[in-house]
Amino acid sequence: MIVFDLMLAAAILVAGWSALSAPDRTGAIAGFLVFGLLVALSWVRLDAPDVALAEAAIGSGLTGALMLRAAGRMAPPAADRVPRAQRAAAALLACGLAGGLAVAVMDLPGATIVYDPLVRADLGQSGVSNPVTAVLLNFRAWDTLLEMAVLLAALVLVAALGPRGTPRPARLGPLYTPFLRIMAPLSVLVAGHLLWLGATAPGGAFQAGAVLCGGLLALYFGGALRPAAVPAGPLWALCAAGVAVFAAAALAAEVLTGTLLAYPDGADKIWILAIEGGLTVSIGATLLLLFTGLRQGGARA
Amino acid sequence: MIETWLPVAILMTSLGVAPVILMIPDGARTLRTTVNLAAASVKVCLVGWLAWQVARGTDFEARLPVAPGLDLVLQADALSVLFLALSAVLWFLTTIYAVGYLEGGTDRSRFFGFFSLCVAATVGIAMSGNLFTFLIFFEVLTLATWPLVVHRGSAEAHRAGRIYLAYTLGGGLALTLGTIWLYALAGDVTFTPQGTLGNLPAEHPVTLRIIFLLLIAGVGVKAALVPLHGWLPISMVAPAPVSALLHAVAVVKAGAFGIMRIVYDVFGVETTQALGLAMPLAAAAAVTIIWGSLRALTQDDLKKRLAYSTVSQVSYITLGVALISPVAAIGGLAHLIHQGIMKITLFLAAGNFAEGQGVKKVSQMDGMGRLMPGATLAFTVGALGMIGVPPLAGFVSKWYLAAGGLDAQAPLVIALLAGSSLMNAAYFLPILHRAWFRPPPETPAPRLRRIGWMLAVPPAITAGLILAAGLLANAPFSPLGWTRFIVSLEYI
Amino acid sequence: MMVLTLLGHLLIAGGVVLLLLAALGLWRFPDLHTRLHALTKADTAGVALVALGAGLLSGSAATLVPLTLCAVLVAISGATTGHLIARSALDEEHASWRSTRHDSV
């Protein structure tokens, strides 16, 4: 396998270079997409399938989609290229930073593995058998709650800074509708499957939300879904649902057990599933609106 | 209980309010102003309470573990309170001013939302308990100010925004690298009076010098140390309240405050001197003071002249820190407040000149004292304070800095201060002369709009504060009294 | 069992050959339409063969079914995206052809 790993590493470098050296934005984004998929593969090789799934779905797929949309909205880059001296200076700075970081990391007093034994010892009480889900939604649920808040904050910022109005997607021809008829329901099914699977195997709310968002995006491109036509209030409610469910669960757990986000004994799995269900819907909606933008409640008429 | 919740509450009065304001529709002016001013007043009250508690010796700390050995820590010590009080009071006044200034403009919810976010970051910087937390809020501040700098949306504003980001994000990289390196060496960098490094300086003198350089370069961009100051005059395209916020409260002050934290609470005064780092820092501050004043002399654009004046004046703070003398430190720390209230007065008054008569250049200032007496009076008080005329605030800080120069056996500092004050006079007095002693132009430009109370009152209040800070310098809760209290903790 | 393993390996080898051909076509063919021609067909078939082969090698129906589903999904989305790319390219050519004729008249 060492040969495969070396080839993978080389391919990641090549993809990174092609993203950097592409002459136009679309080419650079294509390079970035390939780069992301290869990195996802390398996560698989590092025995971290959860991270691989998240990288492929969100890190590469959705981020790439967001970039493509941004590139479509930006004015074409100025004809004159960046001067050679400026590029060289940037490269020098980047190398200096990387070198400095390398030196700094070498001073680290050997990483201490704190979580692994802890998780192993308590996995039985977490209500799920997938250690990643156990950490995200039980042992360190507080972090995940904050992550959801960050996602919501990102949407608020996009709404505040984004351009006015959402673009109408182009007409896609007669073949697209049959495609949609298969893909849209399937994405819901797969999202549900990933959500359920999260308890025992790689999967969970973030991956499920990303797949759901893929299905919603397909609907949006087909013209079947027009977020701009929907009043902003319900959309905001949908996006805030994840944080709201999570916060409500935290408070309820506080009342029931006396500790924030410590679920009642034996009922862990139900609590986790309920929270993850809310998160999935919310993540799907938030990611979709990050892509399409949304009409603000009368503010930008 | 209160020891944990008060810092969080102070942070949330702007961090929690920012998204609410962002989501208020643009037309709902009354609602937005109410939310804004209510939050700002609550913050002023909470900070007052906090100051009282800190003076009594209560320890405040709120902690959120992020990873093993890496905590987000909010705390409040005397130095935090100094910066908190400045930002809380001036945020309140600037908000009133901005509501009046942006009357009828577009994207006001966006503006005030990011305005709040900006103050939230400033407050977070003030209350950071360790270098990691400081870094997080420092970067949040960079990103939160960008929408304000480009608020007008013109090509020029976007260009200024790009330059601003290039400088500040570049500085952020240096700061990040230095922080990671220091954490790798020391394990944890909690801000502690007289330094937190223990016996590390003896073991890694060279590495620590490099780290110091990285950290100071990182915060020095925001503190506008020459040659890292280029963004400041360019970002003058922003609306007047933003310039006031950038110069007096948030960005520049965050940089100066960072220098204080790094010298006092990370390295410690003794270590800084032992590693031979104090002298170069003082030299950088001296160069900045001279260079900023020189450039200010030749600017005809009023706001640009003020911007270069900021470059120069903020380095008084750095100088006070770098001189390694308790007396100079009192001067430098007090100047954090004094420069804030003086500069905000100047910018608010300059904003009124531009709004009321369309006057944006020094050469157009003829007769402004007759056309807009209130704003001109405030501007005069601010300018005289900057020059260091007694009994105004600027005199107090310069007096202590000069005495500190003698105390640190660096008599050159006196020459530096005298030269800088002369140049301050050289670029401020002609403006005042034009405004008061030259007749207005034969056909004065038509008045653009009436200056309502929202625009007129804030500079009047800050001008009053300049006078009070100078006259009542010896009162226990004056900026000078409070800095004496801080310095007694740092130099024992 | 032996037969299934052998069949699985053969299918994967066949799939890899098809994918290589698709890559070769993408590299060597002169314009978008010919490239699409090489890519869509060989790609879909190649992925399907690899998935089937992997399913056979695993020897369990629980693995074979999702793998087959994957192959079907790749086939559907591959065909649709190929169609969409060709369609938009055709639209652009059409537009440029019209504008050139306009200019010459």
Side-chain angles (χ1 to χ4, degrees):
Chain A
M1 282 315 260
I2 184 75
V3 180
F4 179 77
D5 289 344
L6 283 177
M7 277 171 62
L8 185 60
I12 289 176
L13 287 179
V14 171
W17 175 251
S18 73
L20 286 178
S21 62
D24 61 333
R25 292 207 182 101
T26 317
I29 295 168
F32 173 80
L33 284 174
V34 176
F35 175 81
L37 288 176
L38 291 172
V39 168
L41 255 185
S42 75
W43 281 118
V44 174
R45 291 291 302 140
L46 289 170
D47 261 341
D50 292 85
V51 186
L53 264 177
E55 168 69 32
I58 301 175
S60 169
L62 270 172
T63 315
L66 285 175
M67 283 181 173
L68 272 176
R69 176 171 175 280
R73 291 197 155 216
M74 279 153 80
D80 51 317
R81 304 276 296 164
V82 183
R84 197 170 276 271
Q86 200 176 337
R87 289 182 151 240
L92 210 65
L93 265 180
C95 289
L97 185 71
L101 277 176
V103 173
V105 168
M106 277 200 283
D107 274 336
L108 274 178
T112 42
I113 298 169
V114 184
Y115 281 144
D116 221 23
L118 280 178
V119 171
R120 241 178 262 283
D122 291 335
L123 191 57
Q125 304 164 18
S126 70
V128 292
S129 60
N130 177 11
V132 176
T133 307
V135 169
L136 284 183
L137 283 150
N138 202 334
F139 306 144
R140 301 277 306 174
W142 182 239
D143 292 359
T144 313
L145 175 58
L146 287 183
E147 269 169 38
M148 288 306 295
V150 166
L151 200 58
L152 192 62
L155 185 63
V156 171
L157 294 190
V158 166
L161 286 175
R164 293 144 213 256
T166 58
R168 233 5 115 67
R171 295 188 170 281
L172 292 175
L175 255 185
Y176 193 72
T177 314
F179 168 75
L180 212 52
R181 289 210 177 100
I182 303 171
M183 282 308 187
L186 208 60
S187 75
V188 176
L189 266 181
V190 172
H193 176 68
L194 276 176
L195 176 61
W196 182 255
L197 209 61
T200 53
F206 277 87
Q207 290 88 339
V211 169
L212 191 63
C213 170
L216 291 175
L217 273 180
L219 283 174
Y220 167 74
F221 286 128
L225 197 68
R226 300 229 321 274
V230 182
L235 286 179
W236 278 115
L238 208 57
C239 294
V243 180
V245 168
F246 214 146
L251 290 178
E254 164 90 38
V255 171
L256 288 175
T257 65
T259 321
L260 217 59
L261 282 169
Y263 313 125
D265 271 340
D268 295 66
K269 172 144 190 177
I270 307 216
W271 282 72
I272 290 180
L273 264 182
I275 295 173
E276 284 212 293
L279 292 191
T280 304
V281 174
S282 212
I283 291 171
T286 309
L287 293 178
L288 174 76
L289 289 182
L290 281 178
F291 186 88
T292 61
L294 78 175
R295 192 182 71 171
Q296 260 198 338
R300 294 165 175 266
Chain B
M1 198 60 185
I2 188 70
E3 289 84 357
T4 312
W5 283 108
L6 194 51
V8 177
I10 290 177
L11 183 65
M12 288 318 279
T13 47
S14 38
L15 187 63
V17 169
V20 175
I21 297 177
L22 281 175
M23 289 167 76
I24 292 177
D26 237 31
R29 174 183 180 274
T30 317
L31 175 65
R32 185 176 50 241
T33 309
T34 313
V35 171
N36 233 325
L37 291 182
S41 347
V42 170
K43 187 194 284 300
V44 171
C45 296
L46 289 179
V47 169
W49 188 19
L50 183 86
W52 183 57
Q53 290 287 337
V54 167
R56 286 180 50 194
T58 318
D59 283 325
F60 290 93
E61 192 187 86
R63 188 176 283 272
L64 178 72
V66 175
L70 205 58
D71 294 355
L72 276 176
V73 180
L74 288 183
Q75 50 101 41
D77 57 12
L79 192 55
S80 315
V81 169
L82 186 75
F83 195 23
L84 275 177
L86 177 78
S87 51
V89 172
L90 294 192
W91 182 41
F92 181 76
L93 293 174
T94 318
T95 303
I96 297 178
Y97 185 85
V99 171
Y101 188 88
L102 292 176
E103 196 62 63
T106 55
D107 293 319
R108 278 175 291 169
S109 282
R110 183 181 81 190
F111 180 87
F112 284 105
F114 283 102
F115 209 65
S116 289
L117 206 56
C118 206
V119 174
T122 312
V123 166
I125 289 172
M127 292 194 296
S128 295
N130 57 27
L131 196 55
F132 169 67
T133 318
F134 178 85
L135 172 71
I136 301 281
F137 283 113
F138 203 73
E139 294 303 292
V140 170
L141 179 62
T142 300
L143 299 177
T145 31
W146 179 79
L148 299 177
V149 172
V150 301
H151 181 72
R152 291 198 207 277
S154 61
E156 195 195 1
H158 275 285
R159 183 175 154 267
R162 265 200 305 279
I163 293 174
Y164 173 70
L165 276 189
Y167 270 94
T168 46
L169 287 180
L173 275 183
L175 185 64
T176 310
L177 179 55
T179 305
I180 293 174
W181 205 340
L182 199 53
Y183 266 84
L185 269 188
D188 177 43
V189 190
T190 303
F191 292 149
T192 329
Q194 294 148 50
T196 181
L197 296 178
N199 59 351
L200 274 178
E203 293 166 24
H204 306 277
V206 179
T207 315
L208 279 179
R209 282 191 191 111
I210 300 175
I211 292 175
F212 186 83
L213 186 70
L214 283 170
L215 293 177
I216 292 292
V219 295
V221 170
K222 284 210 173 85
L225 279 178
V226 171
L228 308 171
H229 67 291
W231 60 273
L232 191 58
I234 293 169
S235 52
M236 279 301 91
V237 295
V242 175
S243 303
L245 188 81
L246 248 57
H247 283 252
V249 189
V251 179
V252 176
K253 285 301 161 59
F257 186 76
I259 293 179
M260 285 179 196
R261 280 290 190 209
I262 290 164
V263 172
Y264 287 149
D265 294 343
V266 175
F267 280 76
V269 175
E270 280 177 27
T271 311
T272 311
Q273 197 169 25
L275 289 175
L277 297 167
M279 222 13 236
L281 186 59
V287 169
T288 309
I289 291 174
I290 298 294
W291 179 252
S293 297
L294 277 177
R295 291 301 307 271
L297 283 173
T298 57
Q299 306 297 324
D300 187 36
D301 187 303
L302 189 56
K303 277 177 91 183
K304 280 227 166 116
R305 190 174 283 201
L306 292 180
Y308 277 108
S309 157
T310 302
V311 171
S312 157
Q313 292 272 344
V314 165
S315 276
Y316 282 19
I317 305 172
T318 314
L319 184 69
V321 173
L323 276 180
I324 311 294
S325 131
V327 185
I330 291 175
L333 291 182
H335 205 55
L336 183 85
I337 303 287
H338 292 163
Q339 192 270 350
I341 51 180
M342 293 189 292
K343 197 36 80 66
I344 206 165
T345 311
L346 291 171
F347 268 109
L348 297 187
N352 281 349
F353 296 149
E355 286 298 295
Q357 299 285 344
V359 168
K360 292 177 177 162
K361 293 197 161 47
V362 174
S363 50
Q364 301 166 331
M365 284 291 291
D366 289 358
M368 281 309 275
R370 265 172 253 178
L371 295 171
M372 300 179 71
T376 315
L377 194 61
F379 190 90
T380 308
V381 173
L384 291 180
M386 281 290 183
I387 298 170
V389 174
L392 300 176
F395 168 72
V396 178
S397 12
K398 286 193 184 178
W399 177 266
Y400 271 87
L401 276 174
L406 286 182
D407 183 43
Q409 274 136 31
L412 263 180
V413 170
I414 305 217
L416 176 71
L417 286 172
S420 162
S421 293
L422 273 179
M423 279 193 274
N424 290 344
Y427 61 74
F428 275 129
L429 288 182
I431 306 178
L432 301 185
H433 176 257
R434 275 174 187 275
W436 291 114
F437 298 111
R438 292 236 188 134
E442 292 289 312
T443 48
R447 181 185 269 203
L448 293 178
R449 68 189 253 195
R450 220 176 68 78
I451 299 297
W453 70 270
M454 287 190 135
L455 292 178
V457 170
I461 294 181
T462 50
L465 287 177
I466 299 173
L467 202 60
L471 282 176
L472 306 176
N474 244 344
F477 270 86
S478 75
L480 187 72
W482 193 262
T483 49
R484 282 204 192 116
F485 175 51
I486 299 172
V487 171
S488 71
L489 301 176
E490 296 291 345
Y491 286 87
I492 295 174
Chain C
M1 212 58 224
M2 269 304 287
V3 182
L4 273 188
T5 314
L6 192 69
L7 195 61
H9 279 298
L10 273 179
L11 283 174
I12 290 182
V16 168
V17 168
L18 276 177
L19 285 171
L20 277 178
L21 285 177
L24 194 70
L26 187 66
W27 182 34
R28 294 297 298 169
F29 278 162
D31 68 348
L32 191 122
H33 296 285
T34 47
R35 283 178 183 175
L36 267 182
H37 169 77
L39 198 61
T40 43
K41 294 164 184 67
D43 200 34
T44 309
V47 169
L49 286 183
V50 170
L52 268 181
L56 286 184
L57 281 185
S58 78
S60 82
T63 315
L64 185 62
V65 171
L67 276 174
T68 318
L69 205 64
C70 283
V72 173
L73 280 181
V74 167
I76 296 173
S77 55
T80 314
T81 44
H83 166 75
L84 287 177
I85 293 173
R87 194 181 132 91
S88 79
L90 213 60
D91 276 355
E92 267 171 36
E93 279 162 29
H94 221 70
S96 70
W97 175 74
R98 257 193 207 146
S99 70
T100 46
R101 203 181 60 163
H102 226 78
D103 288 345
S104 59
V105 172

